[in-house]
Every structure is written in C-alpha cells, then in structure tokens.
PDB file of all heavy atoms in Angstrom:
ATOM      1  N   ALA A   1      -1.287  -5.776   9.674  1.00  0.00           N
ATOM      2  CA  ALA A   1      -2.648  -6.245   9.379  1.00  0.00           C
ATOM      3  C   ALA A   1      -3.530  -5.043   9.062  1.00  0.00           C
ATOM      4  O   ALA A   1      -3.464  -4.020   9.731  1.00  0.00           O
ATOM      5  CB  ALA A   1      -3.200  -7.018  10.562  1.00  0.00           C
ATOM      6  N   THR A   2      -4.345  -5.196   8.027  1.00  0.00           N
ATOM      7  CA  THR A   2      -5.263  -4.125   7.644  1.00  0.00           C
ATOM      8  C   THR A   2      -6.667  -4.687   7.482  1.00  0.00           C
ATOM      9  O   THR A   2      -6.833  -5.862   7.138  1.00  0.00           O
ATOM     10  CB  THR A   2      -4.827  -3.467   6.324  1.00  0.00           C
ATOM     11  OG1 THR A   2      -4.763  -4.477   5.296  1.00  0.00           O
ATOM     12  CG2 THR A   2      -3.464  -2.808   6.467  1.00  0.00           C
ATOM     13  N   PRO A   3      -7.708  -3.869   7.717  1.00  0.00           N
ATOM     14  CA  PRO A   3      -9.088  -4.339   7.508  1.00  0.00           C
ATOM     15  C   PRO A   3      -9.300  -4.763   6.056  1.00  0.00           C
ATOM     16  O   PRO A   3      -8.636  -4.265   5.146  1.00  0.00           O
ATOM     17  CB  PRO A   3      -9.933  -3.113   7.855  1.00  0.00           C
ATOM     18  CG  PRO A   3      -9.042  -2.251   8.695  1.00  0.00           C
ATOM     19  CD  PRO A   3      -7.656  -2.479   8.197  1.00  0.00           C
ATOM     20  N   ARG A   4     -10.215  -5.686   5.862  1.00  0.00           N
ATOM     21  CA  ARG A   4     -10.526  -6.162   4.519  1.00  0.00           C
ATOM     22  C   ARG A   4     -11.030  -5.009   3.646  1.00  0.00           C
ATOM     23  O   ARG A   4     -11.835  -4.187   4.084  1.00  0.00           O
ATOM     24  CB  ARG A   4     -11.597  -7.257   4.592  1.00  0.00           C
ATOM     25  CG  ARG A   4     -11.887  -7.930   3.262  1.00  0.00           C
ATOM     26  CD  ARG A   4     -12.934  -9.020   3.447  1.00  0.00           C
ATOM     27  NE  ARG A   4     -13.212  -9.695   2.194  1.00  0.00           N
ATOM     28  CZ  ARG A   4     -12.534 -10.746   1.762  1.00  0.00           C
ATOM     29  NH1 ARG A   4     -11.535 -11.227   2.477  1.00  0.00           N
ATOM     30  NH2 ARG A   4     -12.847 -11.325   0.615  1.00  0.00           N
ATOM     31  N   ALA A   5     -10.528  -4.930   2.424  1.00  0.00           N
ATOM     32  CA  ALA A   5     -10.926  -3.860   1.506  1.00  0.00           C
ATOM     33  C   ALA A   5     -12.417  -3.966   1.186  1.00  0.00           C
ATOM     34  O   ALA A   5     -12.966  -5.057   1.025  1.00  0.00           O
ATOM     35  CB  ALA A   5     -10.102  -3.931   0.235  1.00  0.00           C
ATOM     36  N   LYS A   6     -13.069  -2.805   1.085  1.00  0.00           N
ATOM     37  CA  LYS A   6     -14.507  -2.764   0.817  1.00  0.00           C
ATOM     38  C   LYS A   6     -14.822  -2.888  -0.665  1.00  0.00           C
ATOM     39  O   LYS A   6     -15.947  -3.227  -1.048  1.00  0.00           O
ATOM     40  CB  LYS A   6     -15.086  -1.468   1.369  1.00  0.00           C
ATOM     41  CG  LYS A   6     -14.944  -1.312   2.871  1.00  0.00           C
ATOM     42  CD  LYS A   6     -15.483   0.031   3.347  1.00  0.00           C
ATOM     43  CE  LYS A   6     -15.316   0.189   4.854  1.00  0.00           C
ATOM     44  NZ  LYS A   6     -15.796   1.505   5.346  1.00  0.00           N
ATOM     45  N   SER A   7     -13.840  -2.587  -1.521  1.00  0.00           N
ATOM     46  CA  SER A   7     -14.064  -2.614  -2.970  1.00  0.00           C
ATOM     47  C   SER A   7     -12.725  -2.808  -3.660  1.00  0.00           C
ATOM     48  O   SER A   7     -11.663  -2.612  -3.055  1.00  0.00           O
ATOM     49  CB  SER A   7     -14.696  -1.290  -3.429  1.00  0.00           C
ATOM     50  OG  SER A   7     -13.769  -0.224  -3.238  1.00  0.00           O
ATOM     51  N   PRO A   8     -12.733  -3.184  -4.944  1.00  0.00           N
ATOM     52  CA  PRO A   8     -11.469  -3.293  -5.681  1.00  0.00           C
ATOM     53  C   PRO A   8     -10.684  -1.992  -5.684  1.00  0.00           C
ATOM     54  O   PRO A   8      -9.446  -1.999  -5.599  1.00  0.00           O
ATOM     55  CB  PRO A   8     -11.931  -3.676  -7.091  1.00  0.00           C
ATOM     56  CG  PRO A   8     -13.231  -4.380  -6.886  1.00  0.00           C
ATOM     57  CD  PRO A   8     -13.885  -3.670  -5.740  1.00  0.00           C
ATOM     58  N   GLU A   9     -11.389  -0.862  -5.767  1.00  0.00           N
ATOM     59  CA  GLU A   9     -10.701   0.424  -5.762  1.00  0.00           C
ATOM     60  C   GLU A   9     -10.029   0.675  -4.417  1.00  0.00           C
ATOM     61  O   GLU A   9      -8.902   1.197  -4.358  1.00  0.00           O
ATOM     62  CB  GLU A   9     -11.700   1.557  -6.058  1.00  0.00           C
ATOM     63  CG  GLU A   9     -12.266   1.555  -7.469  1.00  0.00           C
ATOM     64  CD  GLU A   9     -13.322   0.473  -7.696  1.00  0.00           C
ATOM     65  OE1 GLU A   9     -13.838  -0.085  -6.686  1.00  0.00           O
ATOM     66  OE2 GLU A   9     -13.610   0.178  -8.861  1.00  0.00           O
ATOM     67  N   ASP A  10     -10.710   0.294  -3.346  1.00  0.00           N
ATOM     68  CA  ASP A  10     -10.141   0.442  -2.004  1.00  0.00           C
ATOM     69  C   ASP A  10      -8.902  -0.441  -1.865  1.00  0.00           C
ATOM     70  O   ASP A  10      -7.891  -0.044  -1.272  1.00  0.00           O
ATOM     71  CB  ASP A  10     -11.186   0.070  -0.960  1.00  0.00           C
ATOM     72  CG  ASP A  10     -10.713   0.339   0.464  1.00  0.00           C
ATOM     73  OD1 ASP A  10     -10.009   1.340   0.674  1.00  0.00           O
ATOM     74  OD2 ASP A  10     -11.047  -0.462   1.360  1.00  0.00           O
ATOM     75  N   GLN A  11      -8.969  -1.657  -2.416  1.00  0.00           N
ATOM     76  CA  GLN A  11      -7.832  -2.570  -2.357  1.00  0.00           C
ATOM     77  C   GLN A  11      -6.627  -2.008  -3.109  1.00  0.00           C
ATOM     78  O   GLN A  11      -5.494  -2.073  -2.628  1.00  0.00           O
ATOM     79  CB  GLN A  11      -8.218  -3.927  -2.956  1.00  0.00           C
ATOM     80  CG  GLN A  11      -7.063  -4.925  -3.042  1.00  0.00           C
ATOM     81  CD  GLN A  11      -6.505  -5.272  -1.681  1.00  0.00           C
ATOM     82  OE1 GLN A  11      -7.208  -5.836  -0.850  1.00  0.00           O
ATOM     83  NE2 GLN A  11      -5.255  -4.919  -1.438  1.00  0.00           N
ATOM     84  N   LEU A  12      -6.859  -1.455  -4.282  1.00  0.00           N
ATOM     85  CA  LEU A  12      -5.753  -0.871  -5.061  1.00  0.00           C
ATOM     86  C   LEU A  12      -5.132   0.318  -4.321  1.00  0.00           C
ATOM     87  O   LEU A  12      -3.910   0.495  -4.345  1.00  0.00           O
ATOM     88  CB  LEU A  12      -6.253  -0.440  -6.437  1.00  0.00           C
ATOM     89  CG  LEU A  12      -6.554  -1.575  -7.417  1.00  0.00           C
ATOM     90  CD1 LEU A  12      -7.295  -1.039  -8.638  1.00  0.00           C
ATOM     91  CD2 LEU A  12      -5.273  -2.276  -7.847  1.00  0.00           C
ATOM     92  N   ARG A  13      -5.982   1.098  -3.665  1.00  0.00           N
ATOM     93  CA  ARG A  13      -5.461   2.241  -2.902  1.00  0.00           C
ATOM     94  C   ARG A  13      -4.589   1.767  -1.741  1.00  0.00           C
ATOM     95  O   ARG A  13      -3.494   2.285  -1.509  1.00  0.00           O
ATOM     96  CB  ARG A  13      -6.630   3.083  -2.374  1.00  0.00           C
ATOM     97  CG  ARG A  13      -6.193   4.282  -1.532  1.00  0.00           C
ATOM     98  CD  ARG A  13      -7.392   5.010  -0.941  1.00  0.00           C
ATOM     99  NE  ARG A  13      -8.238   4.133  -0.144  1.00  0.00           N
ATOM    100  CZ  ARG A  13      -7.942   3.769   1.109  1.00  0.00           C
ATOM    101  NH1 ARG A  13      -6.811   4.199   1.686  1.00  0.00           N
ATOM    102  NH2 ARG A  13      -8.771   2.989   1.771  1.00  0.00           N
ATOM    103  N   LYS A  14      -5.071   0.748  -1.023  1.00  0.00           N
ATOM    104  CA  LYS A  14      -4.297   0.218   0.099  1.00  0.00           C
ATOM    105  C   LYS A  14      -2.992  -0.406  -0.373  1.00  0.00           C
ATOM    106  O   LYS A  14      -1.953  -0.294   0.306  1.00  0.00           O
ATOM    107  CB  LYS A  14      -5.129  -0.816   0.867  1.00  0.00           C
ATOM    108  CG  LYS A  14      -6.273  -0.221   1.662  1.00  0.00           C
ATOM    109  CD  LYS A  14      -6.993  -1.280   2.475  1.00  0.00           C
ATOM    110  CE  LYS A  14      -8.097  -0.664   3.317  1.00  0.00           C
ATOM    111  NZ  LYS A  14      -8.796  -1.684   4.133  1.00  0.00           N
ATOM    112  N   ALA A  15      -3.024  -1.059  -1.513  1.00  0.00           N
ATOM    113  CA  ALA A  15      -1.804  -1.664  -2.054  1.00  0.00           C
ATOM    114  C   ALA A  15      -0.758  -0.598  -2.351  1.00  0.00           C
ATOM    115  O   ALA A  15       0.435  -0.774  -2.072  1.00  0.00           O
ATOM    116  CB  ALA A  15      -2.118  -2.469  -3.305  1.00  0.00           C
ATOM    117  N   LYS A  16      -1.200   0.527  -2.911  1.00  0.00           N
ATOM    118  CA  LYS A  16      -0.269   1.626  -3.197  1.00  0.00           C
ATOM    119  C   LYS A  16       0.292   2.200  -1.898  1.00  0.00           C
ATOM    120  O   LYS A  16       1.505   2.482  -1.791  1.00  0.00           O
ATOM    121  CB  LYS A  16      -0.983   2.714  -3.979  1.00  0.00           C
ATOM    122  CG  LYS A  16      -0.102   3.934  -4.315  1.00  0.00           C
ATOM    123  CD  LYS A  16       1.080   3.554  -5.198  1.00  0.00           C
ATOM    124  CE  LYS A  16       1.767   4.785  -5.799  1.00  0.00           C
ATOM    125  NZ  LYS A  16       2.370   5.661  -4.785  1.00  0.00           N
ATOM    126  N   GLU A  17      -0.540   2.346  -0.889  1.00  0.00           N
ATOM    127  CA  GLU A  17      -0.078   2.876   0.389  1.00  0.00           C
ATOM    128  C   GLU A  17       0.942   1.933   1.033  1.00  0.00           C
ATOM    129  O   GLU A  17       1.987   2.378   1.544  1.00  0.00           O
ATOM    130  CB  GLU A  17      -1.264   3.090   1.336  1.00  0.00           C
ATOM    131  CG  GLU A  17      -2.193   4.215   0.913  1.00  0.00           C
ATOM    132  CD  GLU A  17      -3.425   4.296   1.796  1.00  0.00           C
ATOM    133  OE1 GLU A  17      -3.618   3.402   2.647  1.00  0.00           O
ATOM    134  OE2 GLU A  17      -4.218   5.260   1.629  1.00  0.00           O
ATOM    135  N   ASN A  18       0.659   0.639   1.003  1.00  0.00           N
ATOM    136  CA  ASN A  18       1.598  -0.326   1.575  1.00  0.00           C
ATOM    137  C   ASN A  18       2.898  -0.380   0.780  1.00  0.00           C
ATOM    138  O   ASN A  18       3.976  -0.546   1.352  1.00  0.00           O
ATOM    139  CB  ASN A  18       0.960  -1.714   1.640  1.00  0.00           C
ATOM    140  CG  ASN A  18       0.025  -1.871   2.821  1.00  0.00           C
ATOM    141  OD1 ASN A  18       0.197  -1.218   3.852  1.00  0.00           O
ATOM    142  ND2 ASN A  18      -0.962  -2.745   2.687  1.00  0.00           N
ATOM    143  N   ALA A  19       2.795  -0.255  -0.535  1.00  0.00           N
ATOM    144  CA  ALA A  19       4.000  -0.239  -1.365  1.00  0.00           C
ATOM    145  C   ALA A  19       4.877   0.964  -1.021  1.00  0.00           C
ATOM    146  O   ALA A  19       6.105   0.841  -0.897  1.00  0.00           O
ATOM    147  CB  ALA A  19       3.617  -0.213  -2.838  1.00  0.00           C
ATOM    148  N   ASP A  20       4.254   2.106  -0.854  1.00  0.00           N
ATOM    149  CA  ASP A  20       5.005   3.306  -0.471  1.00  0.00           C
ATOM    150  C   ASP A  20       5.676   3.111   0.887  1.00  0.00           C
ATOM    151  O   ASP A  20       6.823   3.545   1.101  1.00  0.00           O
ATOM    152  CB  ASP A  20       4.080   4.524  -0.424  1.00  0.00           C
ATOM    153  CG  ASP A  20       3.614   4.958  -1.809  1.00  0.00           C
ATOM    154  OD1 ASP A  20       4.261   4.560  -2.803  1.00  0.00           O
ATOM    155  OD2 ASP A  20       2.604   5.686  -1.895  1.00  0.00           O
ATOM    156  N   LEU A  21       4.961   2.452   1.800  1.00  0.00           N
ATOM    157  CA  LEU A  21       5.530   2.175   3.121  1.00  0.00           C
ATOM    158  C   LEU A  21       6.754   1.266   3.000  1.00  0.00           C
ATOM    159  O   LEU A  21       7.787   1.514   3.641  1.00  0.00           O
ATOM    160  CB  LEU A  21       4.472   1.520   4.007  1.00  0.00           C
ATOM    161  CG  LEU A  21       4.942   1.022   5.388  1.00  0.00           C
ATOM    162  CD1 LEU A  21       5.450   2.185   6.235  1.00  0.00           C
ATOM    163  CD2 LEU A  21       3.811   0.286   6.103  1.00  0.00           C
ATOM    164  N   LEU A  22       6.646   0.230   2.176  1.00  0.00           N
ATOM    165  CA  LEU A  22       7.768  -0.686   1.991  1.00  0.00           C
ATOM    166  C   LEU A  22       8.999   0.040   1.447  1.00  0.00           C
ATOM    167  O   LEU A  22      10.121  -0.151   1.935  1.00  0.00           O
ATOM    168  CB  LEU A  22       7.382  -1.809   1.028  1.00  0.00           C
ATOM    169  CG  LEU A  22       6.390  -2.859   1.514  1.00  0.00           C
ATOM    170  CD1 LEU A  22       6.127  -3.872   0.412  1.00  0.00           C
ATOM    171  CD2 LEU A  22       6.921  -3.555   2.747  1.00  0.00           C
ATOM    172  N   LEU A  23       8.805   0.864   0.440  1.00  0.00           N
ATOM    173  CA  LEU A  23       9.940   1.577  -0.153  1.00  0.00           C
ATOM    174  C   LEU A  23      10.580   2.523   0.857  1.00  0.00           C
ATOM    175  O   LEU A  23      11.812   2.683   0.874  1.00  0.00           O
ATOM    176  CB  LEU A  23       9.475   2.335  -1.398  1.00  0.00           C
ATOM    177  CG  LEU A  23       8.978   1.468  -2.560  1.00  0.00           C
ATOM    178  CD1 LEU A  23       8.546   2.344  -3.728  1.00  0.00           C
ATOM    179  CD2 LEU A  23      10.052   0.485  -3.010  1.00  0.00           C
ATOM    180  N   GLU A  24       9.753   3.107   1.703  1.00  0.00           N
ATOM    181  CA  GLU A  24      10.288   3.993   2.740  1.00  0.00           C
ATOM    182  C   GLU A  24      11.079   3.201   3.784  1.00  0.00           C
ATOM    183  O   GLU A  24      12.201   3.582   4.160  1.00  0.00           O
ATOM    184  CB  GLU A  24       9.151   4.753   3.414  1.00  0.00           C
ATOM    185  CG  GLU A  24       9.619   5.701   4.509  1.00  0.00           C
ATOM    186  CD  GLU A  24       8.465   6.424   5.196  1.00  0.00           C
ATOM    187  OE1 GLU A  24       7.309   6.263   4.752  1.00  0.00           O
ATOM    188  OE2 GLU A  24       8.740   7.142   6.182  1.00  0.00           O
ATOM    189  N   VAL A  25      10.512   2.079   4.242  1.00  0.00           N
ATOM    190  CA  VAL A  25      11.164   1.260   5.265  1.00  0.00           C
ATOM    191  C   VAL A  25      12.511   0.742   4.757  1.00  0.00           C
ATOM    192  O   VAL A  25      13.514   0.744   5.488  1.00  0.00           O
ATOM    193  CB  VAL A  25      10.252   0.091   5.680  1.00  0.00           C
ATOM    194  CG1 VAL A  25      11.029  -0.942   6.487  1.00  0.00           C
ATOM    195  CG2 VAL A  25       9.064   0.596   6.476  1.00  0.00           C
ATOM    196  N   PHE A  26      12.530   0.289   3.510  1.00  0.00           N
ATOM    197  CA  PHE A  26      13.760  -0.270   2.957  1.00  0.00           C
ATOM    198  C   PHE A  26      14.712   0.799   2.405  1.00  0.00           C
ATOM    199  O   PHE A  26      15.831   0.477   1.996  1.00  0.00           O
ATOM    200  CB  PHE A  26      13.435  -1.281   1.848  1.00  0.00           C
ATOM    201  CG  PHE A  26      12.840  -2.567   2.346  1.00  0.00           C
ATOM    202  CD1 PHE A  26      11.664  -3.063   1.779  1.00  0.00           C
ATOM    203  CD2 PHE A  26      13.438  -3.280   3.358  1.00  0.00           C
ATOM    204  CE1 PHE A  26      11.109  -4.256   2.224  1.00  0.00           C
ATOM    205  CE2 PHE A  26      12.889  -4.477   3.820  1.00  0.00           C
ATOM    206  CZ  PHE A  26      11.726  -4.959   3.258  1.00  0.00           C
ATOM    207  N   GLY A  27      14.267   2.051   2.378  1.00  0.00           N
ATOM    208  CA  GLY A  27      15.126   3.114   1.868  1.00  0.00           C
ATOM    209  C   GLY A  27      15.407   2.991   0.385  1.00  0.00           C
ATOM    210  O   GLY A  27      16.487   3.351  -0.086  1.00  0.00           O
ATOM    211  N   GLU A  28      14.438   2.480  -0.361  1.00  0.00           N
ATOM    212  CA  GLU A  28      14.580   2.308  -1.813  1.00  0.00           C
ATOM    213  C   GLU A  28      13.501   3.141  -2.504  1.00  0.00           C
ATOM    214  O   GLU A  28      12.521   2.619  -3.032  1.00  0.00           O
ATOM    215  CB  GLU A  28      14.460   0.828  -2.207  1.00  0.00           C
ATOM    216  CG  GLU A  28      15.547  -0.059  -1.650  1.00  0.00           C
ATOM    217  CD  GLU A  28      16.874   0.100  -2.384  1.00  0.00           C
ATOM    218  OE1 GLU A  28      16.912   0.782  -3.424  1.00  0.00           O
ATOM    219  OE2 GLU A  28      17.878  -0.464  -1.894  1.00  0.00           O
ATOM    220  N   GLU A  29      13.679   4.444  -2.490  1.00  0.00           N
ATOM    221  CA  GLU A  29      12.658   5.359  -3.006  1.00  0.00           C
ATOM    222  C   GLU A  29      12.259   5.049  -4.438  1.00  0.00           C
ATOM    223  O   GLU A  29      11.085   5.172  -4.823  1.00  0.00           O
ATOM    224  CB  GLU A  29      13.173   6.798  -2.916  1.00  0.00           C
ATOM    225  CG  GLU A  29      12.208   7.838  -3.468  1.00  0.00           C
ATOM    226  CD  GLU A  29      12.798   9.245  -3.420  1.00  0.00           C
ATOM    227  OE1 GLU A  29      13.906   9.410  -2.855  1.00  0.00           O
ATOM    228  OE2 GLU A  29      12.145  10.168  -3.946  1.00  0.00           O
ATOM    229  N   ASN A  30      13.211   4.614  -5.259  1.00  0.00           N
ATOM    230  CA  ASN A  30      12.932   4.379  -6.680  1.00  0.00           C
ATOM    231  C   ASN A  30      12.427   2.975  -6.976  1.00  0.00           C
ATOM    232  O   ASN A  30      12.029   2.690  -8.105  1.00  0.00           O
ATOM    233  CB  ASN A  30      14.192   4.661  -7.504  1.00  0.00           C
ATOM    234  CG  ASN A  30      14.603   6.112  -7.441  1.00  0.00           C
ATOM    235  OD1 ASN A  30      13.756   7.005  -7.443  1.00  0.00           O
ATOM    236  ND2 ASN A  30      15.904   6.356  -7.370  1.00  0.00           N
ATOM    237  N   GLY A  31      12.458   2.082  -5.992  1.00  0.00           N
ATOM    238  CA  GLY A  31      11.990   0.723  -6.198  1.00  0.00           C
ATOM    239  C   GLY A  31      13.114  -0.263  -6.425  1.00  0.00           C
ATOM    240  O   GLY A  31      14.309   0.087  -6.383  1.00  0.00           O
TER     241      GLY A  31
END
C-alpha cells in the first residue's frame, strides 16, 4: 500500500519505482 499520489508526475514516478521492485522480486531484470 502506498499513499495517494499528489500529482500525475508523482504517480508516474511511483509506478516506475513499483515496477522496478516487481522486476527485482521476480528476478526478471529485463522484464
């Protein structure tokens, strides 16, 4: 769970951070 994004730019940044986390957790660096 993450706090609600304050702006569209903040949302895009959080999405990239979560995506990076997913790739790390699943061990799929390239996607």
Side-chain angles (χ1 to χ4, degrees):
T2 58
R4 186 179 181 88
K6 298 177 181 178
S7 66
E9 292 75 16
D10 186 37
Q11 175 62 63
L12 287 169
R13 179 185 56 79
K14 289 184 177 181
K16 179 62 167 64
E17 291 174 353
N18 280 332
D20 290 342
L21 174 62
L22 289 179
L23 296 180
E24 180 182 355
V25 167
F26 289 129
E28 296 284 352
E29 178 183 354
N30 295 322

